[in-house]
């Protein structure tokens, strides 16, 4: 299956059509945009957590995820930037396992284009969603319940320090449909080449 | 929070009550017993897939998972037996991240007690579920669609070679409730000690 050039690739990546169909078929479920992101933390320990799909970057297949720059996973991913998404659609019984390299884009990035992506993703989030980055540092012990104060977010203000955009650049997509009992394996022909084509193979489920 | 001895620990592990409550609250959803298991494969690559909760081993907190001994993950887990379950309950908005050590119990086990557990788990599965272990090797290319033959399983026959039981022995449980915005971190006081107590701490979400 061929795509030509970055823009065509983004439009023609063969698994994208399957994923869009699954998103449409499960759109009535709030959790249809939730998936589990696995990474490897210190000492080679697997780490796994639910995150929210924030769409693709324009003109490519990179998957956007919002996260808190103060969470453990940020330093872990900077150290070892491999990830595998497991995205199970509960109504259509489809699973996408999407593995690739994760880019951490926090406020310390020196790349103006990346900082612009981060700002764009910040403003694409709801004001309520942005307010969580003004709360206490995730994972720290709390002594009592009165630590959660109402925080005010200025809707026109840019991203706060704690806001971090992750992008995962897919290299392999393992798709299985448990209703039709079909499984397809997609591999990017050349790793690291954004404009490369994808190979698809039918494998046993 | 103290438990005394293995049996008491299994009954009193503080996160077990939360998990049972979540299972009850989401029992009307078929997918409530599905979770994502992350492991680390060759080259330190994270791997993540949906599997089905098959209950706890008796008198302890070990979580049972059925799998195909021919799948890639078996050799990977034997090599590096760490896993993290991410279990998101879509109706009650609760997440359990359960990390621990995985034991692979296939037909080659030399431990009669483990082989007995495997046999028990085999017969606890439906006959339909058992039949998948008689199908073609998962992940291998298929040339056409007519490879899936009806397979006959003798309901009284013991486990086939391809059937493998995994057990995950929890060491840490990170619980978050997105409705109440509460997060609790449970750690086993002494790793590797089945009878050890659990420590619980409230942390910020």
């Amino acid at each position: 299956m061929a795509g030509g050039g970055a823009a065509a690739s983004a439009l023609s990546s063969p698994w994208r059509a399957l994923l869009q169909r699954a998103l449409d078929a499960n759109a009535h479920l709030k959790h249809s945009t939730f998936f589990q992101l696995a990474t490897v933390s210190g000492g080679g320990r697997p780490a796994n957590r639910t995150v929210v799909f924030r769409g693709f970057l324009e003109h490519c297949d990179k998957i956007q995820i919002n996260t808190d720059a103060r969470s453990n996973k940020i330093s872990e991913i900077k150290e070892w930037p491999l990830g595998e998404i497991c995205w199970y659609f509960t109504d259509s019984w489809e699973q996408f396992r999407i593995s690739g390299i994760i880019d951490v884009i926090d406020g310390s990035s020196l790349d103006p284009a990346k900082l612009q992506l981060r700002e764009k993703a910040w403003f694409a989030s709801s004001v309520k969603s942005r307010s969580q980055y003004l709360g206490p540092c995730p994972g720290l012990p709390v002594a009592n319940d009165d630590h959660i104060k109402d925080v005010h977010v200025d809707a026109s203000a840019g991203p706060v320090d704690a806001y971090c955009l992750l992008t995962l650049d897919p290299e392999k997509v393992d798709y299985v449909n448990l209703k039709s009992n079909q499984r397809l394996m997609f591999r990017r022909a050349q790793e690291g080449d954004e404009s490369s084509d994808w190979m698809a193979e039918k494998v046993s489920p």
Side-chain angles (χ1 to χ4, degrees), chain A:
Chain A
M1 297 190 190
S9 169
L11 293 171
S12 66
S13 294
W15 55 271
R16 284 279 295 266
L18 287 172
L19 181 60
Q20 192 55 55
R21 195 185 61 183
L23 281 164
D24 293 343
N26 295 270
H28 58 292
L29 300 169
K30 178 187 159 62
H31 62 264
S32 64
T33 57
F34 296 5
F35 53 70
Q36 281 68 38
L37 173 67
T39 54
V40 181
S41 64
R45 290 196 164 261
N48 205 5
R49 74 291 280 170
T50 306
V51 293
V52 181
F53 175 61
R54 301 291 180 178
F56 290 94
L57 277 189
E58 273 184 280
H59 310 303
C60 69
D61 291 331
K62 290 182 184 174
I63 290 168
Q64 298 184 100
I65 299 159
N66 290 338
T67 190
D68 195 308
R70 300 167 298 174
S71 69
N72 290 337
K73 65 174 167 296
I74 296 308
S75 59
E76 291 168 4
I77 294 171
K78 282 184 173 175
E79 187 89 12
W80 194 255
L82 303 180
E84 183 158 285
I85 288 167
C86 183
W87 198 345
Y88 182 70
F89 289 91
T90 57
D91 212 33
S92 60
W93 299 13
E94 292 167 286
Q95 174 181 269
F96 293 79
R97 297 174 62 183
I98 306 173
S99 59
I101 294 175
I102 304 172
D103 194 13
V104 176
I105 310 177
D106 57 19
S108 73
S109 174
L110 299 175
D111 182 338
K114 288 187 177 177
L115 287 173
Q116 209 171 354
L117 294 176
R118 175 173 173 263
E119 189 174 86
K120 194 171 174 185
W122 169 263
F123 284 114
S125 305
S126 69
V127 172
K128 191 182 170 203
S129 166
R130 291 178 224 167
S131 69
Q132 70 182 278
Y133 300 99
L134 296 172
C137 183
L140 285 193
V142 293
N144 50 50
D145 289 329
D146 62 11
H147 71 287
I148 301 166
K149 301 273 186 293
D150 275 337
V151 287
H152 174 72
V153 178
D154 176 354
S156 63
V160 297
D161 284 350
Y163 172 68
C164 181
L165 173 66
L166 302 178
T167 64
L168 183 140
D169 192 14
E171 291 185 339
K172 196 174 90 176
V173 178
D174 180 350
Y175 166 79
V176 65
N177 184 319
L178 294 177
K179 287 189 180 170
S180 66
N181 210 29
Q182 288 213 317
R183 186 174 170 194
L184 291 165
M185 189 75 81
F186 301 94
R187 285 192 182 85
R188 210 156 71 183
Q190 289 163 281
E191 289 191 10
D193 175 4
E194 284 185 23
S195 67
S196 66
D197 299 335
W198 286 82
M199 322 280 283
E201 187 174 39
K202 193 181 275 189
V203 299
S204 54

PDB file of all heavy atoms in Angstrom, chain A residues 50-65:
ATOM      1  N   THR A  50      -4.163   5.072  31.586  1.00  0.00           N
ATOM      2  CA  THR A  50      -5.178   5.526  30.648  1.00  0.00           C
ATOM      3  C   THR A  50      -4.937   6.994  30.321  1.00  0.00           C
ATOM      4  O   THR A  50      -4.726   7.813  31.224  1.00  0.00           O
ATOM      5  CB  THR A  50      -6.581   5.371  31.272  1.00  0.00           C
ATOM      6  OG1 THR A  50      -6.733   4.010  31.707  1.00  0.00           O
ATOM      7  CG2 THR A  50      -7.672   5.711  30.283  1.00  0.00           C
ATOM      8  N   VAL A  51      -4.937   7.327  29.041  1.00  0.00           N
ATOM      9  CA  VAL A  51      -4.824   8.722  28.607  1.00  0.00           C
ATOM     10  C   VAL A  51      -5.887   8.986  27.536  1.00  0.00           C
ATOM     11  O   VAL A  51      -6.588   8.058  27.109  1.00  0.00           O
ATOM     12  CB  VAL A  51      -3.399   9.047  28.071  1.00  0.00           C
ATOM     13  CG1 VAL A  51      -2.355   8.999  29.178  1.00  0.00           C
ATOM     14  CG2 VAL A  51      -3.020   8.112  26.937  1.00  0.00           C
ATOM     15  N   VAL A  52      -6.003  10.233  27.139  1.00  0.00           N
ATOM     16  CA  VAL A  52      -7.071  10.622  26.207  1.00  0.00           C
ATOM     17  C   VAL A  52      -6.470  10.988  24.851  1.00  0.00           C
ATOM     18  O   VAL A  52      -5.474  11.715  24.779  1.00  0.00           O
ATOM     19  CB  VAL A  52      -7.867  11.819  26.774  1.00  0.00           C
ATOM     20  CG1 VAL A  52      -8.997  12.215  25.820  1.00  0.00           C
ATOM     21  CG2 VAL A  52      -8.421  11.492  28.155  1.00  0.00           C
ATOM     22  N   PHE A  53      -7.075  10.468  23.806  1.00  0.00           N
ATOM     23  CA  PHE A  53      -6.684  10.798  22.429  1.00  0.00           C
ATOM     24  C   PHE A  53      -7.055  12.240  22.136  1.00  0.00           C
ATOM     25  O   PHE A  53      -8.221  12.627  22.270  1.00  0.00           O
ATOM     26  CB  PHE A  53      -7.422   9.848  21.481  1.00  0.00           C
ATOM     27  CG  PHE A  53      -7.237  10.120  20.018  1.00  0.00           C
ATOM     28  CD1 PHE A  53      -5.983  10.063  19.432  1.00  0.00           C
ATOM     29  CD2 PHE A  53      -8.327  10.427  19.206  1.00  0.00           C
ATOM     30  CE1 PHE A  53      -5.813  10.301  18.066  1.00  0.00           C
ATOM     31  CE2 PHE A  53      -8.180  10.656  17.848  1.00  0.00           C
ATOM     32  CZ  PHE A  53      -6.916  10.596  17.274  1.00  0.00           C
ATOM     33  N   ARG A  54      -6.049  13.035  21.748  1.00  0.00           N
ATOM     34  CA  ARG A  54      -6.290  14.455  21.433  1.00  0.00           C
ATOM     35  C   ARG A  54      -6.117  14.726  19.941  1.00  0.00           C
ATOM     36  O   ARG A  54      -5.731  15.830  19.544  1.00  0.00           O
ATOM     37  CB  ARG A  54      -5.327  15.333  22.239  1.00  0.00           C
ATOM     38  CG  ARG A  54      -5.444  15.181  23.750  1.00  0.00           C
ATOM     39  CD  ARG A  54      -6.740  15.747  24.294  1.00  0.00           C
ATOM     40  NE  ARG A  54      -6.839  15.587  25.746  1.00  0.00           N
ATOM     41  CZ  ARG A  54      -7.860  16.038  26.468  1.00  0.00           C
ATOM     42  NH1 ARG A  54      -8.876  16.652  25.888  1.00  0.00           N
ATOM     43  NH2 ARG A  54      -7.884  15.849  27.772  1.00  0.00           N
ATOM     44  N   GLY A  55      -6.380  13.717  19.139  1.00  0.00           N
ATOM     45  CA  GLY A  55      -6.309  13.898  17.690  1.00  0.00           C
ATOM     46  C   GLY A  55      -4.898  13.695  17.146  1.00  0.00           C
ATOM     47  O   GLY A  55      -3.952  13.458  17.886  1.00  0.00           O
ATOM     48  N   PHE A  56      -4.811  13.780  15.834  1.00  0.00           N
ATOM     49  CA  PHE A  56      -3.528  13.649  15.156  1.00  0.00           C
ATOM     50  C   PHE A  56      -2.936  15.040  14.910  1.00  0.00           C
ATOM     51  O   PHE A  56      -3.676  16.019  14.761  1.00  0.00           O
ATOM     52  CB  PHE A  56      -3.716  12.958  13.802  1.00  0.00           C
ATOM     53  CG  PHE A  56      -4.071  11.505  13.909  1.00  0.00           C
ATOM     54  CD1 PHE A  56      -5.402  11.088  13.891  1.00  0.00           C
ATOM     55  CD2 PHE A  56      -3.080  10.544  14.036  1.00  0.00           C
ATOM     56  CE1 PHE A  56      -5.735   9.744  13.999  1.00  0.00           C
ATOM     57  CE2 PHE A  56      -3.405   9.200  14.151  1.00  0.00           C
ATOM     58  CZ  PHE A  56      -4.728   8.800  14.130  1.00  0.00           C
ATOM     59  N   LEU A  57      -1.623  15.102  14.852  1.00  0.00           N
ATOM     60  CA  LEU A  57      -1.000  16.328  14.360  1.00  0.00           C
ATOM     61  C   LEU A  57      -1.387  16.479  12.892  1.00  0.00           C
ATOM     62  O   LEU A  57      -1.558  15.485  12.184  1.00  0.00           O
ATOM     63  CB  LEU A  57       0.531  16.242  14.469  1.00  0.00           C
ATOM     64  CG  LEU A  57       1.189  16.575  15.788  1.00  0.00           C
ATOM     65  CD1 LEU A  57       2.711  16.649  15.597  1.00  0.00           C
ATOM     66  CD2 LEU A  57       0.701  17.916  16.338  1.00  0.00           C
ATOM     67  N   GLU A  58      -1.480  17.716  12.456  1.00  0.00           N
ATOM     68  CA  GLU A  58      -1.858  17.956  11.058  1.00  0.00           C
ATOM     69  C   GLU A  58      -0.833  17.345  10.093  1.00  0.00           C
ATOM     70  O   GLU A  58       0.363  17.396  10.352  1.00  0.00           O
ATOM     71  CB  GLU A  58      -1.927  19.464  10.796  1.00  0.00           C
ATOM     72  CG  GLU A  58      -3.272  20.069  11.136  1.00  0.00           C
ATOM     73  CD  GLU A  58      -3.323  21.547  10.771  1.00  0.00           C
ATOM     74  OE1 GLU A  58      -2.797  22.364  11.560  1.00  0.00           O
ATOM     75  OE2 GLU A  58      -3.868  21.880   9.711  1.00  0.00           O
ATOM     76  N   HIS A  59      -1.312  16.821   9.014  1.00  0.00           N
ATOM     77  CA  HIS A  59      -0.484  16.320   7.908  1.00  0.00           C
ATOM     78  C   HIS A  59       0.434  15.164   8.268  1.00  0.00           C
ATOM     79  O   HIS A  59       1.435  14.928   7.590  1.00  0.00           O
ATOM     80  CB  HIS A  59       0.361  17.453   7.293  1.00  0.00           C
ATOM     81  CG  HIS A  59      -0.449  18.666   6.966  1.00  0.00           C
ATOM     82  ND1 HIS A  59      -1.536  18.611   6.120  1.00  0.00           N
ATOM     83  CD2 HIS A  59      -0.337  19.955   7.380  1.00  0.00           C
ATOM     84  CE1 HIS A  59      -2.060  19.827   6.026  1.00  0.00           C
ATOM     85  NE2 HIS A  59      -1.359  20.655   6.782  1.00  0.00           N
ATOM     86  N   CYS A  60       0.150  14.485   9.372  1.00  0.00           N
ATOM     87  CA  CYS A  60       0.948  13.288   9.664  1.00  0.00           C
ATOM     88  C   CYS A  60       0.152  12.372  10.593  1.00  0.00           C
ATOM     89  O   CYS A  60      -0.997  12.671  10.956  1.00  0.00           O
ATOM     90  CB  CYS A  60       2.308  13.646  10.259  1.00  0.00           C
ATOM     91  SG  CYS A  60       2.247  14.328  11.910  1.00  0.00           S
ATOM     92  N   ASP A  61       0.753  11.255  10.985  1.00  0.00           N
ATOM     93  CA  ASP A  61       0.053  10.243  11.782  1.00  0.00           C
ATOM     94  C   ASP A  61       0.343  10.356  13.264  1.00  0.00           C
ATOM     95  O   ASP A  61      -0.036   9.467  14.044  1.00  0.00           O
ATOM     96  CB  ASP A  61       0.484   8.836  11.315  1.00  0.00           C
ATOM     97  CG  ASP A  61      -0.033   8.499   9.930  1.00  0.00           C
ATOM     98  OD1 ASP A  61      -1.099   9.024   9.548  1.00  0.00           O
ATOM     99  OD2 ASP A  61       0.621   7.709   9.229  1.00  0.00           O
ATOM    100  N   LYS A  62       1.064  11.401  13.680  1.00  0.00           N
ATOM    101  CA  LYS A  62       1.447  11.488  15.092  1.00  0.00           C
ATOM    102  C   LYS A  62       0.229  11.733  15.986  1.00  0.00           C
ATOM    103  O   LYS A  62      -0.583  12.625  15.727  1.00  0.00           O
ATOM    104  CB  LYS A  62       2.476  12.599  15.300  1.00  0.00           C
ATOM    105  CG  LYS A  62       3.823  12.256  14.685  1.00  0.00           C
ATOM    106  CD  LYS A  62       4.853  13.357  14.941  1.00  0.00           C
ATOM    107  CE  LYS A  62       6.157  13.016  14.231  1.00  0.00           C
ATOM    108  NZ  LYS A  62       7.147  14.111  14.315  1.00  0.00           N
ATOM    109  N   ILE A  63       0.150  10.933  17.054  1.00  0.00           N
ATOM    110  CA  ILE A  63      -0.989  10.967  17.973  1.00  0.00           C
ATOM    111  C   ILE A  63      -0.674  11.901  19.138  1.00  0.00           C
ATOM    112  O   ILE A  63       0.386  11.800  19.750  1.00  0.00           O
ATOM    113  CB  ILE A  63      -1.276   9.535  18.476  1.00  0.00           C
ATOM    114  CG1 ILE A  63      -1.845   8.713  17.315  1.00  0.00           C
ATOM    115  CG2 ILE A  63      -2.217   9.535  19.681  1.00  0.00           C
ATOM    116  CD1 ILE A  63      -1.910   7.224  17.592  1.00  0.00           C
ATOM    117  N   GLN A  64      -1.608  12.818  19.433  1.00  0.00           N
ATOM    118  CA  GLN A  64      -1.392  13.794  20.498  1.00  0.00           C
ATOM    119  C   GLN A  64      -2.016  13.355  21.824  1.00  0.00           C
ATOM    120  O   GLN A  64      -3.144  12.867  21.857  1.00  0.00           O
ATOM    121  CB  GLN A  64      -1.994  15.142  20.102  1.00  0.00           C
ATOM    122  CG  GLN A  64      -1.375  15.761  18.867  1.00  0.00           C
ATOM    123  CD  GLN A  64      -1.955  17.142  18.582  1.00  0.00           C
ATOM    124  OE1 GLN A  64      -1.358  18.156  18.891  1.00  0.00           O
ATOM    125  NE2 GLN A  64      -3.133  17.164  18.012  1.00  0.00           N
ATOM    126  N   ILE A  65      -1.262  13.577  22.905  1.00  0.00           N
ATOM    127  CA  ILE A  65      -1.708  13.261  24.266  1.00  0.00           C
ATOM    128  C   ILE A  65      -1.307  14.421  25.166  1.00  0.00           C
ATOM    129  O   ILE A  65      -0.165  14.875  25.113  1.00  0.00           O
ATOM    130  CB  ILE A  65      -1.003  11.967  24.763  1.00  0.00           C
ATOM    131  CG1 ILE A  65      -1.355  10.765  23.869  1.00  0.00           C
ATOM    132  CG2 ILE A  65      -1.343  11.681  26.223  1.00  0.00           C
ATOM    133  CD1 ILE A  65      -0.356   9.619  23.943  1.00  0.00           C
TER     134      ILE A  65
END
